[in-house]
Amino acid sequence: MTGKDVEQRHEEQLKGSSDKGGIKGYLLHRAKPYLPPWLGVGSLGISGTVGHLVWSGDAAMGIGLTLGSVALTGAAWWAGKGVGPQRRLHSAITVAAGSVWFTSASIFDPSYNALFVGGTVTALTWNIRQIYRRDPDGVKAVTDGAGLLEKVGLAKALMQRAKVEPNRVTVPLLLEAGEQTNDDVSKALPRIASALDIPVTAVRYLPDPDSARRGELVVVPLDMLADTVRWEEAGPSLPGGSMEDPLVLGVYDDGQPLMMWFPGDREAGRNATHLLIAGMTGSGKGDGALNLLTEILSRKDVIVWLSDPKGFQDFRPLLPGIDWAVEGGAPTEAMVEAVLAAIPARTAWLGAHRYRQWEAICADEQTDPAHSCRTDGTACHCPGVPFLVSWFEEAGVSLSMLGDDAFNNIANLARSAGIALVVSLQRPSHDQISTTTRDALGSRLCFGVPNAMAASFMLPDTVIDAGAAPERWANRRPGYNYLVTPGVDEMRYSSPGRTRWFTDSALSLMEAVASWAARNGAKPDPVTAGAAASAVGKAYTERARHQEENPEEGDDDEETTVSRLDDEDLDIDPNEELPPPAPGEENVVFGQPDGADLTREEARTVLQDILAEFEADGTMVIGVVDVMAHGERLGRKRGWVSGELQQLLEDGRLTVTTKPGRYRIVPAMADA
């Protein structure tokens, strides 16, 4: 009987006749389910009286009835093996008591007082069980559960005691041995969702890794993600906290916080990780990135390097809090080279100070003798090394220029150096990013995708089998996502979450977060800054700084750079008219020399000048095509330039990069 049937019957009873006949019929109808125990007691009394008249004093019959009572009680216990332990015990006791009274009444005198008291108590206990068994809510829960498995083709599976939490029901399943596997349940999830009339993403199955026929069916009946939450209503979760604290990105569908960590934790058994963010246009990937970046900038022990080919369209209010921000092209190439140079420098520092991995105390001055780089056992007081997040937004654009394995070395080596790599792109397919790099990005934040194939690029097969299906949202539910990351219970991987929504009203709070980071956040440490400067020179040391120069005077966010002018030229006004030429200077021509008549040595000198100009402009990664843009000055063809670049590579003026045919300029003052 379903809940609908119970309600219909109750409605019919309420509408029934109210005369004597109707009341009598109603009472008899309600009493019917409770009559069998009483009829059993009455039948026992009659049969005992008849037995006494027939077998009174018959010793042989007494032995037979006693053995029959034992056999009947044992049969009742055996037959109840498929029911609950309480019902099984109750049935066996009832049969044993009735058999003993019948045997005693047949051989000796019937004790009707004992029958009255014992029979009444026994009948009432069964009536009490009947009341609970026929509770409409209980009937609905049990019957619907059994019927549910039968409808979806899992009739032989057993549903064990459910664990009920706020907006979450977890039901352990035991499948039929040899006939059903966990894969059968995973395939049945859409039918289960249909039977329960809930979204497919609200049902998932978590197989037991130690069994092929055990697991947990999780149902979240109410979608708590439907109500959009604005980021500015709460802001960062822990301003002034550490990168060791969780970064809260939003909520799961059962109301629990959606969070992750970048650094590892040996005590918690959590590995350090990188992050891959992906989702189709309109899926909310941009707001998800802002949730994460504002969380990072609100921490005291982290610096951020950001590459964004979109010209900081989403991140511009946060630029004052970012140590190094570049757009696409050559500056991004330089940033990749700087990160690669920072890895060995930082790991050497961590090793010298006896750290197996980055910890929060690494960002502070090293006052603990246990973490001293000195050999005499005293504190070294070395400046700390903050955590570094290297973020490549719209990485598909950068990878098309750098090559699909540009981040491979960073992804494989940076975790041990206290560096987290964040790669964000729309579709992380093999033609966009190498599978080696993708596999090394241990965490995945997957927003809506167009199809199941795109989902397979982001989510592990086990998570998809458990019910994760971001293609069912596509871009119709911005912000909905799945998060796979160390430190989070694996049963959460298939639970959808939602990041918070950034609106125009969030702008002022975003600027406040960036301003706090610029004033109170970590500053570049000598180890990281020195490695970046030695690798890319002025590309880092004269990087654009987006910060408030005079906040007391109300200056807005300005982009400033370190001046390249000599001290005696600082007072020159670039808008002032040039003075008239002195006598003898009228015919002086300023311009680039025509390289048509240059000797080989003169052309090499011009090539060195071109490299110096690239370096002065902060363009530290070049190729033949970049040099050929100055071909008129050289008067040489492409083959000659290519050969000279190879020679400069051998001389140490250039070094190779992750992409063939591209070279990094070694800063002229790198050794110094």
Side-chain angles (χ1 to χ4, degrees), residues 160-360:
Q160 299 174 334
R161 184 180 298 276
K163 179 182 178 182
V164 181
E165 301 171 279
N167 196 40
R168 186 184 183 93
V169 180
T170 304
V171 183
L173 290 184
L174 176 61
L175 305 177
E176 181 71 10
E179 295 187 16
Q180 297 171 327
T181 66
N182 290 325
D183 290 340
D184 296 325
V185 183
S186 298
K187 295 176 182 178
L189 291 179
R191 297 194 297 274
I192 294 175
S194 174
L196 297 175
D197 194 19
I198 57 177
V200 176
T201 53
V203 184
R204 44 250 187 203
Y205 181 66
L206 309 175
D208 186 339
D210 298 325
S211 174
R213 66 185 190 100
R214 295 178 184 270
E216 293 182 336
L217 182 67
V218 180
V219 180
V220 180
L222 178 63
D223 184 6
M224 298 184 69
L225 306 179
D227 295 331
T228 302
V229 177
R230 297 172 182 264
W231 174 81
E232 60 269 23
E233 293 178 0
S237 63
L238 190 63
S242 169
M243 285 297 288
E244 282 192 332
D245 300 313
L247 305 171
V248 180
L249 311 183
V251 295
Y252 284 106
D253 58 352
D254 60 355
Q256 296 299 312
L258 179 73
M259 57 189 184
M260 68 167 297
W261 295 261
F262 280 117
D265 188 335
R266 285 183 295 173
E267 295 183 359
R270 184 183 72 242
N271 292 326
T273 189
H274 304 305
L275 177 64
L276 175 61
I277 305 175
M280 64 185 299
T281 301
S283 64
K285 180 169 62 70
D287 279 1
L290 286 173
N291 273 277
L292 178 58
L293 189 53
T294 51
E295 283 286 293
I296 293 172
L297 292 178
S298 68
R299 305 305 166 90
K300 64 182 180 180
D301 50 9
V302 61
I303 57 176
V304 177
W305 292 354
L306 170 67
S307 167
D308 184 4
K310 294 191 302 183
F312 316 118
Q313 180 179 6
D314 294 328
F315 301 118
R316 186 163 295 278
L318 301 176
L319 290 181
I322 296 174
D323 176 59
W324 187 13
V326 301
E327 297 184 25
T332 295
E333 287 185 291
M335 181 174 286
V336 170
E337 296 301 317
V339 175
L340 288 172
I343 292 173
R346 290 170 63 95
T347 52
W349 186 95
L350 292 170
H353 290 83
R354 301 178 184 138
Y355 292 105
R356 295 286 302 278
Q357 61 181 353
W358 188 91
E359 304 173 21

Side-chain angles (χ1 to χ4, degrees), residues 371-404:
H371 293 288
S372 173
C373 61
R374 294 180 178 176
T375 58
D376 58 4
T378 60
C380 61
H381 296 279
C382 290
V385 173
F387 198 79
L388 172 61
V389 174
S390 54
W391 187 306
F392 294 88
E393 183 68 16
E394 294 298 339
V397 177
S398 300
L399 288 168
S400 65
M401 176 187 65
L402 300 174
D404 60 3

Side-chain angles (χ1 to χ4, degrees), residues 529-569:
S534 67
V536 297
K538 292 181 179 180
Y540 180 74
T541 58
E542 296 187 2
R543 63 197 182 280
R545 305 307 304 273
H546 306 264
Q547 59 186 15
E548 296 175 340
E549 292 289 342
N550 299 303
E552 294 81 8
E553 299 177 6
D555 291 344
D556 293 329
D557 177 27
E558 296 180 355
E559 178 178 324
T560 62
T561 59
V562 179
S563 175
R564 298 190 184 129
L565 296 176
D566 295 330
D567 292 341
E568 63 269 20
D569 297 331

Side-chain angles (χ1 to χ4, degrees), residues 110-174:
S111 177
Y112 295 108
N113 291 334
L115 176 64
F116 177 78
V117 175
T120 300
V121 171
T122 302
L124 287 175
T125 59
W126 282 101
N127 287 163
I128 293 173
R129 290 185 66 92
Q130 184 75 5
I131 291 173
Y132 286 111
R133 187 175 69 85
R134 295 191 65 83
D135 175 68
D137 294 335
V139 170
K140 184 177 187 299
V142 175
T143 309
D144 284 356
L148 171 65
L149 295 181
E150 184 177 358
K151 288 180 181 178
V152 300
L154 301 172
K156 295 183 179 180
L158 295 179
M159 300 179 69
Q160 299 174 334
R161 184 180 298 276
K163 179 182 178 182
V164 181
E165 301 171 279
N167 196 40
R168 186 184 183 93
V169 180
T170 304
V171 183
L173 290 184
L174 176 61

